[in-house]
Amino acid sequence: MSIDQQIAPAIAACLPGRTGFAGALALLAGCLLPFHIQPAAAKPLPAGAFLRACKIVVPEQTPLFPGSPAAAAAEPDEDGTGSDDDDEEEDEDEEDEEEAVPGFVSPGMGHCVAISGVLSLGIQSDSFRASTLARAAGLVPANGLSYPRSLSFRIESARTLPSGLHVASAFEFSFDQTNDPATGSTPSFAEASVTIGPFVFGVAGSRFDFWTGDEFVFSTRVPSRTVGLIGYERLLWPDLKLSISAEDTQIDAARALPGASGLRMPDGVVRLLHEGEAWTLHGAAALRDVPRGPGVSARMGRAALLGLTYEAPLLGKTTSVTAQLAGAVDAAPYIGSSLDLRVLRQVIGATDATRGWSGVLALGRDWTDTLASHVFVSRYQLSLPGRAGGTGRVRIDRVAANLAWTPVEGFKTGLEASVAWQKLDLGSAVVPVGLAGRQSSLQLFLERSF
């Protein structure tokens, strides 16, 4: 039975009625996740066999333009032994080994399955500084201590069919307990996707994103987003990859703008990604449908992002520099962080005209084999033309730094501090919450991954 004949009944069974774009993707990915783990004809294992170790490795695509034969052919070194090429192959094998995810294969299964998770505990101190008027109106949260904690699980599986087609799935969710009423302790999905060859669909990270800030505890302060998507990736040259995707940003409640449920079509995103030995370059562009509103005609928003990372030894220790700059016209969800959009969505709607940009500069350094530090600064700036009383403006500046100690693999502890300055000028509009001012946070964290 072919792969198409197997998948078609599963799709029909999982989607009995009409659903939204994001809902259909999530439901379809969730249905196909257990489906492809059951192969059509599993080979019997030897008696007594139970679990076998395996590793999930994403196979490399054949470049559409592999380059000149002379560049691809092995060139002997000065002594004619070709040892330089052997060294490069060994380095590539080591990189593949580091990126491989360890898992297991159980009897009756033809897929490698990997289960992982992260448990985080922290003690956090928050302080707020705002105008006397905002404090008198009770619009500013009280200073105090909180005990944020989160637990995330990830299940992924992969298999390469005899035809050479790579089939994989990933399902990741988390429980976050914070003092933020916008998040609370509701479980959130980070990914529920299925990959079939060069195609991927479901719920996953936006292909527009570049720097995700995995090194920081305050993850909502960094510009990354979860979307519903249907995407296609193709390796053009050995170090250049093209991605094309249709995305729905409304699936991320923290970034969704009020009144955007009537979108006529998902957003379109195109990305070019260059990955070299030391440099990584990322360029992306997006088109977004802006819904009609009272006295507002439908129009297309657009956004663009340029990012780069340079990582190399400095004074014997690994040092990395990351920078990205994004701009948007009538596409506010594509700039800034989740926390920035959470602030903004309280004062604007999906049909409001917007112009803005955001930028990030991040530095990281490994001081020893177990001690590392990271710092980033960011700015988010947005203007709202046509606001009553003049053009409205929003500006949010952030800086965060941490020091992390990893004595053993899978355990990390450290201290992280973050400061944000928020300034809102909305003309004659009334700001519903005490958004303007300064917020400072300090957290001692423990993290256990498995």
Side-chain angles (χ1 to χ4, degrees):
M1 184 180 292
S2 67
I3 186 70
D4 295 333
Q5 292 173 325
Q6 297 179 52
I7 291 178
I11 295 177
C14 290
L15 298 178
R18 294 186 59 185
T19 60
F21 176 76
L25 291 176
L27 182 59
L28 189 56
C31 290
L32 290 186
L33 174 64
F35 158 73
H36 82 267
I37 291 180
Q38 300 296 332
K43 295 182 179 179
L45 297 177
F50 182 57
L51 295 179
R52 292 184 288 115
C54 62
K55 290 188 176 181
I56 296 178
V57 180
V58 179
E60 294 184 0
Q61 290 182 345
T62 301
L64 185 62
F65 307 105
S68 63
E75 298 180 358
D77 58 4
E78 295 179 356
D79 59 6
T81 61
S83 60
D84 291 342
D85 295 332
D86 294 339
D87 292 341
E88 292 180 2
E89 291 179 0
E90 291 179 0
D91 292 340
E92 292 178 357
D93 292 340
E94 290 178 358
E95 292 179 0
D96 293 340
E97 190 72 17
E98 292 178 357
E99 295 177 357
V101 180
F104 63 89
V105 178
S106 66
M109 291 177 56
H111 289 72
C112 184
V113 179
I115 301 176
S116 59
V118 178
L119 173 64
S120 298
L121 303 173
I123 302 176
Q124 181 172 320
S125 174
D126 295 297
S127 61
F128 303 88
R129 184 176 180 180
S131 64
T132 304
L133 180 61
R135 287 191 174 276
L139 302 177
V140 181
N143 301 339
L145 288 175
S146 60
Y147 304 91
R149 52 195 181 275
S150 65
L151 176 63
S152 65
F153 280 101
R154 180 178 178 84
I155 304 173
E156 54 187 315
S157 65
R159 185 187 184 190
T160 301
L161 301 178
S163 62
L165 183 67
H166 179 71
V167 182
S169 67
F171 181 74
E172 181 178 352
F173 66 96
S174 63
F175 291 88
D176 298 300
Q177 180 65 52
T178 68
N179 289 344
D180 190 342
T183 57
S185 58
T186 304
S188 59
F189 288 95
E191 186 169 359
S193 65
V194 171
T195 301
I196 303 177
F199 297 94
V200 59
F201 58 92
V203 177
S206 172
R207 298 307 187 252
F208 188 84
D209 292 344
F210 177 56
W211 181 64
T212 58
D214 296 332
E215 307 87 356
F216 291 88
V217 175
F218 297 123
S219 59
T220 56
R221 278 115 166 124
V222 301
S224 61
R225 57 190 61 76
T226 299
V227 299
L229 68 82
I230 297 176
Y232 171 83
E233 291 190 350
R234 177 64 179 172
L235 194 63
L236 300 181
W237 281 276
D239 54 0
L240 184 64
K241 182 183 296 184
L242 169 69
S243 297
I244 303 174
S245 59
E247 302 185 358
D248 181 6
T249 59
Q250 291 300 110
I251 201 169
D252 190 343
R255 305 186 68 91
L257 294 179
S261 58
L263 297 179
R264 296 169 298 174
M265 64 187 75
D267 303 348
V269 176
V270 177
R271 179 189 71 180
L272 283 174
L273 180 65
H274 166 79
E275 295 179 300
E277 294 184 0
W279 290 92
T280 299
L281 299 177
H282 170 110
L287 283 177
R288 176 178 176 81
D289 178 39
V290 179
R292 292 182 174 89
V296 179
S297 59
R299 60 191 187 278
M300 296 299 295
R302 60 263 189 203
L305 182 146
L306 180 64
L308 64 88
T309 292
Y310 178 73
E311 183 173 337
L314 178 63
L315 300 178
K317 298 298 179 182
T318 301
T319 302
S320 64
V321 180
T322 300
Q324 78 171 37
L325 181 65
V329 177
D330 296 331
Y334 282 93
I335 61 174
S337 65
S338 296
L339 199 58
D340 296 333
L341 262 296
R342 196 176 299 165
V343 171
L344 189 65
R345 69 190 306 271
Q346 301 178 64
V347 296
I348 72 168
T351 61
D352 290 342
T354 60
R355 308 284 189 277
W357 64 274
S358 65
V360 175
L361 177 63
L363 304 174
R365 179 169 175 80
D366 296 334
W367 299 101
T368 67
D369 293 339
T370 60
L371 193 65
S373 63
H374 303 88
V375 61
F376 84 82
V377 293
S378 68
R379 167 164 289 188
Y380 173 86
Q381 190 161 310
L382 193 75
S383 62
L384 307 171
R387 279 275 173 168
T391 300
R393 290 182 175 83
V394 178
R395 195 181 83 181
I396 304 176
D397 296 320
R398 300 187 191 279
V399 58
N402 66 19
L403 184 64
W405 179 49
T406 310
V408 295
E409 184 178 358
F411 176 80
K412 182 170 66 174
T413 183
L415 191 67
E416 183 167 307
S418 173
V419 182
W421 295 267
Q422 301 178 166
K423 183 177 181 180
L424 281 79
D425 181 7
L426 302 179
S428 60
V430 178
V431 179
V433 293
L435 299 179
R438 185 185 71 189
Q439 176 183 353
S440 303
S441 301
L442 180 66
Q443 182 177 137
L444 174 66
F445 64 89
L446 299 172
E447 184 178 287
R448 178 70 172 94
S449 58
F450 56 90

